Each structure stands twice: as C-alpha cells, then as structure tokens.
Amino acid sequence: MPPKDQNALTEGVYYILIALHTPLHGYGIMQFVKEVSDERVNLGPGTLYGAINTMLEKNWIVATATDADTRKKEYVITDVGREVVQTEMKRLEELLENGRKITGVESDEV
C-alpha cells in the first residue's frame, strides 16, 4: 500500500515505474522513457540509477533473477509500485479536471 502522504512523483520516477510494467534493464528503461515521452524526457545514468536505488528501498520495484553470465540487472514494478502509479494517475486526473472546470479549456483546445 502506498503511503497516505505520498508526494507527487517526479516525471522521471513516474516514467520509470510505467516502464517497469515489463522487466527492463537500465538502458532499456532510458530508451523506453525517451520514446514514450517523444524524446522530451531523457534520463541520464546518474538520475536513473539514483531513482532505481530509491525505488528499491521503498519496495516499489525489485531486481529480477537474471542469467549469471550477464552483468545487466533487470527490474520490475511491485504491487506497491503499481499502487503508487495508480495514486499518481488519480492525482494527475484531478489536476486536469479542476483545471478544465476553472479555466473552461478543454484538452483539444490546448
């Protein structure tokens, strides 16, 4: 269960969690995020591995068992991580809904 006082996720953390719905190694995560964000978000190795270590500590992701011959670790999202993503998606939907109500601007007008 995500903490009740979960803060907003950074864009990088959000995209990493989304990427890990399929097991990926670090380079695969960077490529996924770059592609899905239409090259707007480009994670550097320091940012990526710092975020991965934090998410491992929070049990949002886990390292998967890999072939002993490879040095590449793959990671996958946990049930807690999935709940964190769902909580963030609800927060983002609320932001959009309130913005549309107050400004009267619809998504196709932006």
Side-chain angles (χ1 to χ4, degrees), residues 18-19 32 34 52 65 88:
I18 296 293
F32 174 89
K34 190 173 181 180
I52 284 174
E88 180 67 2

mmCIF file with all atom_site columns, all heavy atoms in Angstrom, residues 18-19 32 34 52 65 88:
data_model
loop_
_atom_site.group_PDB
_atom_site.id
_atom_site.type_symbol
_atom_site.label_atom_id
_atom_site.label_alt_id
_atom_site.label_comp_id
_atom_site.label_asym_id
_atom_site.label_entity_id
_atom_site.label_seq_id
_atom_site.pdbx_PDB_ins_code
_atom_site.Cartn_x
_atom_site.Cartn_y
_atom_site.Cartn_z
_atom_site.occupancy
_atom_site.B_iso_or_equiv
_atom_site.pdbx_formal_charge
_atom_site.auth_seq_id
_atom_site.auth_comp_id
_atom_site.auth_asym_id
_atom_site.auth_atom_id
_atom_site.pdbx_PDB_model_num
ATOM 1  N N   . ILE A 1 18 ? 6.277  3.318   -14.932 1.00 0.00 ? 18 ILE A N   1
ATOM 2  C CA  . ILE A 1 18 ? 5.455  2.880   -16.068 1.00 0.00 ? 18 ILE A CA  1
ATOM 3  C C   . ILE A 1 18 ? 6.255  1.881   -16.921 1.00 0.00 ? 18 ILE A C   1
ATOM 4  O O   . ILE A 1 18 ? 5.740  0.855   -17.350 1.00 0.00 ? 18 ILE A O   1
ATOM 5  C CB  . ILE A 1 18 ? 5.034  4.089   -16.932 1.00 0.00 ? 18 ILE A CB  1
ATOM 6  C CG1 . ILE A 1 18 ? 4.139  5.039   -16.152 1.00 0.00 ? 18 ILE A CG1 1
ATOM 7  C CG2 . ILE A 1 18 ? 4.359  3.628   -18.232 1.00 0.00 ? 18 ILE A CG2 1
ATOM 8  C CD1 . ILE A 1 18 ? 2.800  4.488   -15.790 1.00 0.00 ? 18 ILE A CD1 1
ATOM 9  N N   . ALA A 1 19 ? 7.522  2.199   -17.146 1.00 0.00 ? 19 ALA A N   1
ATOM 10 C CA  . ALA A 1 19 ? 8.375  1.345   -17.979 1.00 0.00 ? 19 ALA A CA  1
ATOM 11 C C   . ALA A 1 19 ? 8.484  -0.055  -17.395 1.00 0.00 ? 19 ALA A C   1
ATOM 12 O O   . ALA A 1 19 ? 8.550  -1.042  -18.130 1.00 0.00 ? 19 ALA A O   1
ATOM 13 C CB  . ALA A 1 19 ? 9.769  1.959   -18.103 1.00 0.00 ? 19 ALA A CB  1
ATOM 14 N N   . PHE A 1 32 ? 12.984 3.427   -23.276 1.00 0.00 ? 32 PHE A N   1
ATOM 15 C CA  . PHE A 1 32 ? 11.527 3.450   -23.182 1.00 0.00 ? 32 PHE A CA  1
ATOM 16 C C   . PHE A 1 32 ? 11.041 4.857   -22.850 1.00 0.00 ? 32 PHE A C   1
ATOM 17 O O   . PHE A 1 32 ? 10.120 5.378   -23.481 1.00 0.00 ? 32 PHE A O   1
ATOM 18 C CB  . PHE A 1 32 ? 11.043 2.476   -22.104 1.00 0.00 ? 32 PHE A CB  1
ATOM 19 C CG  . PHE A 1 32 ? 9.565  2.543   -21.848 1.00 0.00 ? 32 PHE A CG  1
ATOM 20 C CD1 . PHE A 1 32 ? 8.684  1.750   -22.571 1.00 0.00 ? 32 PHE A CD1 1
ATOM 21 C CD2 . PHE A 1 32 ? 9.039  3.415   -20.898 1.00 0.00 ? 32 PHE A CD2 1
ATOM 22 C CE1 . PHE A 1 32 ? 7.314  1.827   -22.355 1.00 0.00 ? 32 PHE A CE1 1
ATOM 23 C CE2 . PHE A 1 32 ? 7.675  3.499   -20.676 1.00 0.00 ? 32 PHE A CE2 1
ATOM 24 C CZ  . PHE A 1 32 ? 6.813  2.699   -21.404 1.00 0.00 ? 32 PHE A CZ  1
ATOM 25 N N   . LYS A 1 34 ? 12.528 7.749   -23.170 1.00 0.00 ? 34 LYS A N   1
ATOM 26 C CA  . LYS A 1 34 ? 12.795 8.686   -24.267 1.00 0.00 ? 34 LYS A CA  1
ATOM 27 C C   . LYS A 1 34 ? 11.739 8.529   -25.367 1.00 0.00 ? 34 LYS A C   1
ATOM 28 O O   . LYS A 1 34 ? 11.206 9.513   -25.880 1.00 0.00 ? 34 LYS A O   1
ATOM 29 C CB  . LYS A 1 34 ? 14.198 8.420   -24.820 1.00 0.00 ? 34 LYS A CB  1
ATOM 30 C CG  . LYS A 1 34 ? 14.693 9.443   -25.774 1.00 0.00 ? 34 LYS A CG  1
ATOM 31 C CD  . LYS A 1 34 ? 16.156 9.153   -26.111 1.00 0.00 ? 34 LYS A CD  1
ATOM 32 C CE  . LYS A 1 34 ? 16.694 10.187  -27.067 1.00 0.00 ? 34 LYS A CE  1
ATOM 33 N NZ  . LYS A 1 34 ? 18.102 9.930   -27.402 1.00 0.00 ? 34 LYS A NZ  1
ATOM 34 N N   . ILE A 1 52 ? 16.374 4.413   -9.234  1.00 0.00 ? 52 ILE A N   1
ATOM 35 C CA  . ILE A 1 52 ? 16.208 2.966   -9.063  1.00 0.00 ? 52 ILE A CA  1
ATOM 36 C C   . ILE A 1 52 ? 16.549 2.561   -7.628  1.00 0.00 ? 52 ILE A C   1
ATOM 37 O O   . ILE A 1 52 ? 15.803 1.806   -6.994  1.00 0.00 ? 52 ILE A O   1
ATOM 38 C CB  . ILE A 1 52 ? 17.081 2.190   -10.082 1.00 0.00 ? 52 ILE A CB  1
ATOM 39 C CG1 . ILE A 1 52 ? 16.423 2.247   -11.456 1.00 0.00 ? 52 ILE A CG1 1
ATOM 40 C CG2 . ILE A 1 52 ? 17.291 0.734   -9.644  1.00 0.00 ? 52 ILE A CG2 1
ATOM 41 C CD1 . ILE A 1 52 ? 17.254 1.637   -12.571 1.00 0.00 ? 52 ILE A CD1 1
ATOM 42 N N   . ALA A 1 65 ? 15.692 -12.054 -11.126 1.00 0.00 ? 65 ALA A N   1
ATOM 43 C CA  . ALA A 1 65 ? 16.776 -13.008 -11.307 1.00 0.00 ? 65 ALA A CA  1
ATOM 44 C C   . ALA A 1 65 ? 17.189 -13.001 -12.772 1.00 0.00 ? 65 ALA A C   1
ATOM 45 O O   . ALA A 1 65 ? 16.341 -13.003 -13.663 1.00 0.00 ? 65 ALA A O   1
ATOM 46 C CB  . ALA A 1 65 ? 16.313 -14.400 -10.907 1.00 0.00 ? 65 ALA A CB  1
ATOM 47 N N   . GLU A 1 88 ? -0.822 8.244   -8.304  1.00 0.00 ? 88 GLU A N   1
ATOM 48 C CA  . GLU A 1 88 ? -0.332 9.396   -9.057  1.00 0.00 ? 88 GLU A CA  1
ATOM 49 C C   . GLU A 1 88 ? -1.254 9.708   -10.236 1.00 0.00 ? 88 GLU A C   1
ATOM 50 O O   . GLU A 1 88 ? -1.533 10.871  -10.526 1.00 0.00 ? 88 GLU A O   1
ATOM 51 C CB  . GLU A 1 88 ? 1.095  9.143   -9.559  1.00 0.00 ? 88 GLU A CB  1
ATOM 52 C CG  . GLU A 1 88 ? 1.696  10.280  -10.354 1.00 0.00 ? 88 GLU A CG  1
ATOM 53 C CD  . GLU A 1 88 ? 1.966  11.538  -9.547  1.00 0.00 ? 88 GLU A CD  1
ATOM 54 O OE1 . GLU A 1 88 ? 1.720  11.569  -8.316  1.00 0.00 ? 88 GLU A OE1 1
ATOM 55 O OE2 . GLU A 1 88 ? 2.429  12.522  -10.138 1.00 0.00 ? 88 GLU A OE2 1
#
